[in-house]
C-alpha cells in the first residue's frame, strides 16, 4: 500500500495542475469572510447534486483511528466511499487519521470528479493528537490561556501532519452542572475564564495563518447552551432566558469568533422550545447579523436528522429543509442533505440561493485552508514521523499536566514528600495500568504510550523498592481480598497515596451521572485504609467537580489529578515530590453534597441568602448543608503560605470615563516558592436587576519566592461593571460596588467598596 501511495503521490501535482478546478482557482483569494471570484465561478458550474455533496460530511469508513486499515482495493467500505467521492457526493470526511488513506481519498476527489474540488478532513482533536495533553477542564485549572494556546498549537501540528484540516474543538460551553459529563471538555463554570481560554485555543489550533500546513481550522462548539441541559442530562432540554444566554452561554463563542474561529457546530439541544439546529434566531440573527460571523456552520453528528425525534420535523426530508433554512450549512453524518436537497430545491421548498450560500461557505473555508491551491497541503507521508511526538511536545505535555493539578488541602504540610526514606503504599483502582490516564476523548492516542501512575511515582523515587502497589478494589466493584491487601500495605508504609475517583469513561459525551461522588466501592476502600491511621494523600481522578465526603475528605492531603494525559504521571510525581509546586485552581466549584448540584459561585443572592457556614432556618440552603462550595471555583493551594493584605483603591469615586486601580499586597510567608493565582471579583450591590454574588473580572498568575511580597494591581473601568438591563441592552448603574482580591471565589481575601458616579 505504501509503495502504491508513493507512486500515486508522484503524479499528484500534475493531476491537480490539469484539473478543471485548478483552472478556476487562479483568481485572487478573498481573505475576508465573503466569497471569492473563484469560489463564485466554481459554484456557477456545479450541479445541485454536487452542491449537496459539498454540504455533506461523513465519518471515514476506513483508515480511522480505532481500526486503521490498509486501503485494500477489495475493501467494500473503502470502495463505497471512494465511489461517493467520485460522484461528487462528499464534501469531507472525518475521523480519518492515516495520511496514506487521506491521500487516496484526496486523489479521487481531485482526479476523478468533474470539478476536482478537494475534500476537507476533520477530526475531534480535543486535547492532543498522539501526544496527549490534560483534558480541557484540567488544563483550564492552569488559568493560563498561553499554556492552552501552546498545547492547541502542538495538537494542531500533530493532527495536520496526518492530513487533518479541521478540528471539532474547542468546546466552549460553559458548564455549571457537574452531572453533565461533557464538563470535561470545556473550561468550566466561569464566563471570563471560558472566554480567555476559548480565544487561546482557537489561536493555537489555527496558528499564524490557516493556509499553513500545520494549521487546522477551529470549530467553536456546541452552538449554543449545550451545557445548560436540564438536570445535567446530556442532549436534554435547555430552557434559559435570553439574558442568561447572552450573559453566560454566548460570550465564549463570541470570543472564539473574535479570535478567528471560522466554523461552529450547531448543538444537539433545544433552547426554550427551538432546537439549536432549527434555530434561525441563533444562527442568522445573532451569529450572522449581530456578530457578523462569516464562517461555516456544521451540524452536530446527525443533529439535523434528530429534528424528527425532537418533534419539529415530519420526516428526514423536512428535517433537511428546516436545518438548512435555519442556517446549518453542512450536514454531519446523517447524509440527509445530499439525499434531499436536490428535490427540495427542485420543488422550490429551499431556494437555490440558500444552497449556494452554504456551498460558498464550505468552499471559502477550503480556500482559506489553502486546499484550493494545493489539496495535498497537509498530506505528506514524511510528516507524521517528523512532527508527531516531538520531544518539545512531550515536554509541553508534562508542563501542562503539572500545571493542571489542583491541591485542595495539605494538612500539616504533608506534601511534598521526600524521594527517599519513606515507605509508600500506592493504593487504588487507578494505581497501575494504562487505562484512565488520558481521558475520554483521545481517538488517536497510541495504545500503551501513556505513563501509568506506578511508573511515574517509581521513576521519581531514589529507592524504588520503597513503593508497594495494591489495587484494593475495582472502580465500581470489590476485588476479593483487595481491602485486606490494601490495609496490610498501608500498615507497612509511612504514607499512603490513594488513587481513586472516576474512570475516564464516567465523563464525556452521554456520561451524565445522577450523583457526582466517588463510587461506593472506592469509599469502602478509603475508609478501611483510614483505620490504619497512616497519613493519606488522595490523588483524585475525575472529569468533573465531585462532592467529597467522609474518609476521602478527611485525608491529610488531596490533589485533583483529573486525566492528565500521556506525561501526566511524571507530572504528578513532579508535584508530589516537590520538584514543582502545585499551582492549579479549580475551574468548577466542588459542592458539599451531590444534591447541591448545579452549584456555581456566581449564583444570585436570593431574598434570603444563606449565611455562609452558619445554618439558619428559612434561608436559601438545603437541609443541613450551607449553600456554599466545599472547594469553590478558583481554590487551589501552593507549597507556599500565601497571605492577602492591605486593599487599596485608587481613583475613586469612579467617573463614567474614568478608571480605578484596585491593589493588594500578596505575601508568601512560607519556606517554598509559589505560583499564586490572584483573583479580582466584583459585586454590584444594588442594580436594576439581580446580579451574581460575585463575578470574576480579572486574575493574574504571580510568582512568589519564599518570604517575598508583591503588590498586585488591577484596573476597573465602568464598562467592566455593566450588565444587560430589562430591555437586554447593556447598561451600567451608578452606585456602590464591592470588590475582592482573593484566592478563590468564596474566600474573603481583602475586600472593600467603591462608588461609580452617575456623571
Ligand atoms: C459530538 C461532537 C463531536 C461529533 C463528531 C458528536 O457526538 O457531540 O462534539 O464533534 O460527535 O465526533
Amino acid at each position: 500500500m505504501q509503495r502504491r501511495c508513493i507512486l500515486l503521490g508522484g503524479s499528484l501535482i500534475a493531476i491537480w495542475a490539469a484539473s478543471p478546478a485548478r483552472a478556476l482557482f487562479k483568481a485572487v483569494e478573498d481573505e475576508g469572510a465573503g466569497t471569492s471570484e473563484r469560489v463564485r465561478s466554481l459554484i456557477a458550474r456545479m450541479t445541485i447534486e454536487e452542491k449537496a455533496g459539498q454540504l455533506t460530511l461523513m465519518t471515514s469508513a476506513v483508515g480511522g483511528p480505532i481500526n486503521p486499515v490498509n486501503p485494500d482495493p477489495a475493501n467494500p467500505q473503502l470502495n463505497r466511499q471512494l465511489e461517493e467521492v467520485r460522484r461528487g457526493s462528499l464534501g469531507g470526511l472525518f475521523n480519518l487519521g492515516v495520511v496514506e488513506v487521506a491521500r487516496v481519498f484526496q486523489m479521487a476527489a481531485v482526479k476523478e470528479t468533474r470539478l476536482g474540488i478537494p475534500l476537507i478532513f476533520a477530526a475531534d482533536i480535543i486535547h492532543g493528537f498522539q501526544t496527549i495533553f490534560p483534558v480541557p477542564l484540567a488544563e483550564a485549572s492552569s488559568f493560563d490561556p498561553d499554556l492552552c494556546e501552546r498545547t492547541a498549537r502542538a495538537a494542531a501540528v500533530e493532527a495536520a501532519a496526518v492530513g487533518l484540516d479541521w478540528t471539532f474543538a474547542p468546546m466552549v460551553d460553559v458548564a455549571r452542572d457537574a452531572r453533565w459529563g461533557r464538563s470535561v471538555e470545556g473550561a468550566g463554570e466561569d464566563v471570563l475564564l471560558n472566554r480567555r481560554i476559548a480565544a487561546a485555543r482557537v489561536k493555537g489550533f489555527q496558528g499564524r495563518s490557516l493556509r499553513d500546513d500545520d494549521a487546522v481550522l477551529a470549530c467553536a462548539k456546541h452552538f449554543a447552551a449545550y451545557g445548560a441541559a436540564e438536570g445535567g442530562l446530556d442532549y436534554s432540554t435547555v430552557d434559559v432566558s435570553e439574558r442568561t444566554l447572552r450573559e453566560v452561554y454566548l460570550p465564549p463563542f463570541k470570543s472564539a469568533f473574535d479570535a478567528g474561529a471560522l466554523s461552529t457546530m450547531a448543538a444537539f439541544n433545544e433552547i426554550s422550545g427551538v432546537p439549536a439546529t432549527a434555530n434561525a434566531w441563533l444562527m442568522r440573527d445573532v451569529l450572522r447579523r449581530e456578530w457578523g460571523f462569516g464562517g461555516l456552520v456544521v451540524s452536530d453528528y446527525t443533529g439535523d436528522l434528530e429534528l424528527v425525534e425532537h418533534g419539529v420535523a415530519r420526516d428526514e426530508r423536512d428535517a433537511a429543509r428546516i436545518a438548512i433554512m435555519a442556517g446549518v450549512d453542512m450536514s454531519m453524518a446523517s447524509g440527509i442533505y445530499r439525499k434531499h436537497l436536490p428535490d427540495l430545491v427542485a420543488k422550490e421548498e429551499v431556494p437555490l440561493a440558500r444552497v449556494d450560500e452554504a456551498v460558498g461557505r464550505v468552499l471559502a473555508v477550503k480556500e482559506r485552508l489553502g486546499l484550493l491551491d494545493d489539496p495535498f497541503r497537509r498530506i505528506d507521508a514524511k510528516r507524521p514521523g517528523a512532527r508527531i511526538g516531538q520531544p518539545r511536545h512531550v515536554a509541553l505535555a508534562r508542563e501542562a499536566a503539572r500545571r493542571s493539578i489542583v491541591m485542595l488541602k495539605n494538612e500539616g504540610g504533608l506534601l511534598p514528600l521526600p524521594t527517599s526514606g519513606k515507605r509508600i503504599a500506592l493504593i487504588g483502582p487507578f494505581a497501575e495500568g494504562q487505562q484512565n490516564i488520558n481521558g475520554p476523548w483521545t481517538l488517536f492516542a497510541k495504545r500503551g504510550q501513556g505513563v501509568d501512575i506506578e511508573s511515574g511515582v517509581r521513576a521519581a523515587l531514589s529507592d524504588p523498592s520503597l513503593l508497594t502497589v495494591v489495587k484494593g478494589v475495582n472502580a465500581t466493584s470489590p476485588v476479593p481480598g483487595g481491602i485486606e491487601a490494601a490495609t496490610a500495605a498501608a500498615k507497612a508504609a509511612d504514607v499512603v497515596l490513594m488513587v481513586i475517583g472516576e474512570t475516564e469513561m464516567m465523563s464525556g459525551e452521554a456520561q451524565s451521572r445522577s450523583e457526582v461522588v466517588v463510587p461506593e466501592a472506592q469509599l469502602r476502600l478509603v475508609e478501611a485504609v483510614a483505620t490504619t491511621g497512616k497519613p493519606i494523600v488522595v490523588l483524585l481522578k475525575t472529569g468533573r467537580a465531585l462532592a467529597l465526603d467522609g474518609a476521602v475528605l478527611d485525608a491529610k492531603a488531596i490533589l485533583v489529578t483529573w486525566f492528565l494525559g500521556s506525561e501526566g504521571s511524571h507530572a504528578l510525581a513532579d508535584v508530589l515530590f516537590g520538584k514543582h509546586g502545585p499551582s492549579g485552581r479549580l475551574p468548577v466549584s466542588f459542592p458539599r453534597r451531590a444534591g447541591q448540584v448545579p452549584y456555581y459561585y456566581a449564583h444570585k443572592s436570593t431574598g434570603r441568602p444563606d449565611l455562609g457556614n452558619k445554618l439558619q432556618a428559612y434561608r436559601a440552603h438545603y437541609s443541613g448543608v450551607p449553600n456554599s462550595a466545599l472547594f469553590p471555583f478558583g481554590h487551589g493551594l501552593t507549597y507556599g503560605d500565601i497571605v492577602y493584605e492591605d486593599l487599596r483603591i485608587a481613583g475613586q469615586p469612579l467617573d463614567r470615563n474614568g478608571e480605578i486601580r484596585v491593589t493588594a499586597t500578596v505575601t508568601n510567608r512560607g519556606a517554598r516558592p509559589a505560583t499564586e493565582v490572584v483573583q479580582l471579583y466584583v459585586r454590584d450591590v444594588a442594580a436594576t436587576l439581580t446580579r451574581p454574588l460575585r463575578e470574576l473580572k480579572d486574575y493574574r498568575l504571580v510568582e512568589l519566592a519564599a518570604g517575598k511580597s508583591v503588590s498586585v494591581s488591577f484596573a476597573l473601568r465602568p464598562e467592566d461593571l455593566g450588565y444587560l438591563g430589562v430591555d437586554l441592552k447593556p447598561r451600567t448603574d451608578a452606585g456602590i460596588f464591592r470588590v475582592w482580591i482573593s484566592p478563590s471565589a468564596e474566600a474573603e481575601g481583602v475586600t472593600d467598596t467603591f462608588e461609580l458616579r452617575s456623571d
Side-chain angles (χ1 to χ4, degrees):
M1 171 212 142
Q2 286 233 329
R3 200 171 67 92
R4 197 184 58 203
C5 281
I6 292 164
L7 290 177
L8 289 174
S11 51
L12 289 179
I13 294 169
I15 290 160
W16 171 241
S19 77
R22 183 71 189 101
L24 285 166
F25 296 163
K26 291 254 189 274
V28 181
E29 185 186 5
D30 174 7
E31 277 284 318
T35 312
S36 70
E37 184 46 41
R38 67 175 164 182
V39 166
R40 279 197 295 278
S41 36
L42 193 56
I43 293 172
R45 298 185 55 191
M46 291 169 82
T47 64
I48 182 66
E49 286 74 20
E50 286 165 342
K51 289 175 183 173
Q54 277 307 305
L55 303 184
T56 299
L57 179 69
M58 297 301 257
T59 322
S60 167
V62 292
I66 298 152
N67 182 20
V69 291
N70 193 333
D72 172 357
N75 181 318
Q77 302 259 37
L78 170 72
N79 284 339
R80 181 184 51 73
Q81 211 156 47
L82 277 173
E83 204 34 58
E84 288 174 6
V85 172
R86 288 186 195 109
R87 276 204 310 271
S89 54
L90 261 183
L93 285 172
F94 72 96
N95 287 354
L96 163 57
V98 183
V99 71
E100 291 82 1
V101 186
R103 180 182 293 279
V104 171
F105 276 109
Q106 198 66 307
M107 279 287 290
V110 169
K111 184 189 169 196
E112 300 181 61
T113 62
R114 208 172 63 85
L115 296 171
I117 302 172
L119 294 166
I120 186 169
F121 294 102
D124 290 278
I125 306 300
I126 309 297
H127 54 109
F129 177 76
Q130 223 168 74
T131 306
I132 305 299
F133 301 104
V135 290
L137 185 66
E139 200 181 59
S141 309
S142 70
F143 272 54
D144 186 355
D146 175 63
L147 178 73
C148 300
E149 182 174 337
R150 288 190 287 134
T151 60
R153 183 87 290 278
V157 167
E158 294 197 359
V162 298
L164 294 172
D165 307 298
W166 185 14
T167 176
F168 299 139
M171 188 189 94
V172 302
D173 297 313
V174 171
R176 295 186 157 184
D177 190 326
R179 288 170 295 186
W180 192 52
R182 301 198 78 169
S183 310
V184 70
E185 293 177 52
E189 72 183 51
D190 183 66
V191 180
L192 180 79
L193 190 62
N194 264 287
R195 291 192 77 146
R196 289 188 177 171
I197 291 183
R201 288 189 171 138
V202 168
K203 285 189 204 143
F205 286 131
Q206 297 195 164
R208 272 176 306 126
S209 161
L210 272 178
R211 300 178 68 86
D212 289 348
D213 64 24
D214 63 2
V216 294
L217 173 70
C219 180
K221 70 183 189 186
H222 306 81
F223 196 59
Y226 185 36
E230 271 181 9
L233 179 63
D234 205 6
Y235 317 123
S236 191
T237 309
V238 169
D239 196 348
V240 288
S241 65
E242 188 176 339
R243 171 170 299 97
T244 302
L245 202 57
R246 287 184 179 276
E247 289 194 338
V248 177
Y249 293 100
L250 293 184
F253 285 93
K254 182 68 168 56
S255 298
F257 301 139
D258 289 348
L262 262 192
S263 75
T264 186
M265 187 183 290
F268 283 133
N269 53 281
E270 68 165 75
I271 303 172
S272 312
V274 185
T277 306
N279 204 319
W281 174 78
L282 192 64
M283 289 183 284
R284 294 195 166 279
D285 296 351
V286 176
L287 182 66
R288 304 272 180 206
R289 296 197 186 105
E290 208 178 303
W291 294 355
F293 176 70
L296 170 68
V297 180
V298 65
S299 79
D300 202 342
Y301 195 108
T302 65
D304 47 5
L305 178 59
E306 291 170 26
L307 295 179
V308 177
E309 291 290 356
H310 271 290
V312 298
R314 285 186 302 276
D315 51 29
E316 60 174 49
R317 185 177 180 279
D318 201 29
R321 180 187 61 80
I322 293 172
I324 193 153
M325 291 313 294
V328 174
D329 300 310
M330 195 176 206
S331 162
M332 187 203 295
S334 70
I336 63 173
Y337 273 23
R338 68 179 175 194
K339 195 164 158 198
H340 297 292
L341 281 182
D343 184 54
L344 284 164
V345 170
K347 304 231 165 70
E348 296 184 354
E349 290 173 67
V350 169
L352 183 61
R354 168 60 192 127
V355 173
D356 287 352
E357 178 187 59
V359 174
R361 289 194 187 121
V362 171
L363 294 180
V365 155
K366 290 184 177 180
E367 183 172 54
R368 293 286 296 273
L369 283 161
L371 292 173
L372 299 193
D373 295 310
D374 174 10
F376 299 92
R377 197 170 207 88
R378 294 178 187 80
I379 300 177
D380 177 344
K382 291 191 294 297
R383 284 196 201 131
R387 295 192 182 172
I388 296 175
Q390 302 176 45
R392 66 195 172 98
H393 293 180
V394 176
L396 179 60
R398 185 163 176 165
E399 180 195 344
R402 217 156 42 215
R403 298 182 51 202
S404 300
I405 295 169
V406 184
M407 187 160 77
L408 298 182
K409 63 184 284 200
N410 188 23
E411 258 174 46
L414 176 62
L415 297 179
L417 299 173
T419 56
S420 62
K422 279 216 195 275
R423 290 161 303 163
I424 299 176
L426 179 65
I427 297 174
F430 311 113
E432 54 182 3
Q434 295 288 334
Q435 305 79 34
N436 303 301
I437 302 233
N438 286 335
W441 243 140
T442 48
L443 296 172
F444 302 95
K446 261 209 206 132
R447 258 173 222 280
Q449 159 209 34
V451 181
D452 74 350
I453 296 198
E454 174 186 1
S455 313
V457 171
R458 213 179 274 288
L461 291 172
S462 333
D463 178 2
S465 71
L466 291 174
L467 184 71
T468 320
V469 183
V470 181
K471 187 173 184 185
V473 294
N474 297 316
T476 55
S477 63
V479 166
I483 293 212
E484 292 73 17
T487 45
K491 276 185 195 145
D494 299 305
V495 62
V496 182
L497 305 179
M498 300 215 62
V499 200
I500 55 157
E502 295 191 323
T503 66
E504 59 187 8
M505 293 319 290
M506 284 180 180
S507 49
E509 185 172 348
Q511 299 305 322
S512 298
R513 293 188 68 199
S514 56
E515 276 193 289
V516 292
V517 291
V518 174
E520 191 69 25
Q522 298 182 56
L523 289 180
R524 298 288 89 82
L525 175 70
V526 184
E527 280 162 8
V529 170
T531 62
T532 65
K534 294 297 167 78
I536 294 177
V537 180
V538 164
L539 309 175
L540 191 66
K541 288 216 154 272
T542 180
R544 54 160 60 78
L546 291 177
L548 307 178
D549 204 358
V552 174
L553 186 56
D554 291 342
K556 286 235 171 312
I558 303 177
L559 295 180
V560 183
T561 63
W562 316 104
F563 301 102
L564 291 174
S566 37
E567 290 299 300
S569 300
H570 287 314
L572 176 58
D574 289 344
V575 170
L576 265 179
F577 299 105
K579 204 162 153 193
H580 290 267
S583 59
R585 301 297 172 124
L586 290 180
V588 279
S589 299
F590 277 41
R592 295 171 187 277
R593 296 278 187 276
Q596 256 180 299
V597 168
Y599 184 86
Y600 50 93
Y601 82 89
H603 63 86
K604 304 290 184 71
S605 161
T606 80
R608 294 183 173 195
D610 177 56
L611 300 175
N613 292 341
K614 221 172 7 150
L615 288 174
Q616 197 183 82
Y618 297 99
R619 290 206 165 255
H621 58 76
Y622 293 94
S623 179
V625 188
N627 193 27
S628 56
L630 177 63
F631 297 108
F633 172 88
H635 174 74
L637 302 175
T638 66
Y639 288 151
D641 175 10
I642 310 296
V643 182
Y644 286 67
E645 291 167 310
D646 190 20
L647 188 85
R648 285 100 69 199
I649 304 179
Q652 70 157 323
L654 177 58
D655 288 327
R656 283 282 162 185
N657 298 316
E659 173 180 303
I660 55 167
R661 293 204 77 79
V662 188
T663 307
T665 305
V666 184
T667 305
N668 180 3
R669 294 207 185 135
R672 288 175 168 272
T675 304
E676 178 70 4
V677 182
V678 180
Q679 300 155 47
L680 177 79
Y681 294 93
V682 166
R683 178 177 181 189
D684 189 340
V685 175
T688 58
L689 288 170
T690 61
R691 300 297 304 149
L693 277 180
R694 284 198 199 187
E695 286 178 281
L696 183 68
K697 293 292 176 190
D698 202 356
Y699 60 84
R700 195 148 317 132
L701 275 70
V702 175
E703 305 291 337
L704 277 167
K708 289 285 181 245
S709 277
V710 65
S711 258
V712 183
S713 193
F714 298 98
L716 273 175
R717 293 175 200 87
E719 56 267 31
D720 300 322
L721 307 171
Y723 64 97
L724 298 179
V726 184
D727 54 2
L728 294 177
K729 300 225 168 74
R731 60 176 295 140
T732 310
D733 299 331
I736 302 297
F737 292 79
R738 178 159 287 281
V739 62
W740 292 259
I741 294 182
S742 60
S744 82
E746 292 182 7
E748 213 38 26
V750 281
T751 178
D752 204 345
T753 56
F754 65 88
E755 187 191 346
L756 171 63
R757 262 211 291 241
S758 46
D759 259 318

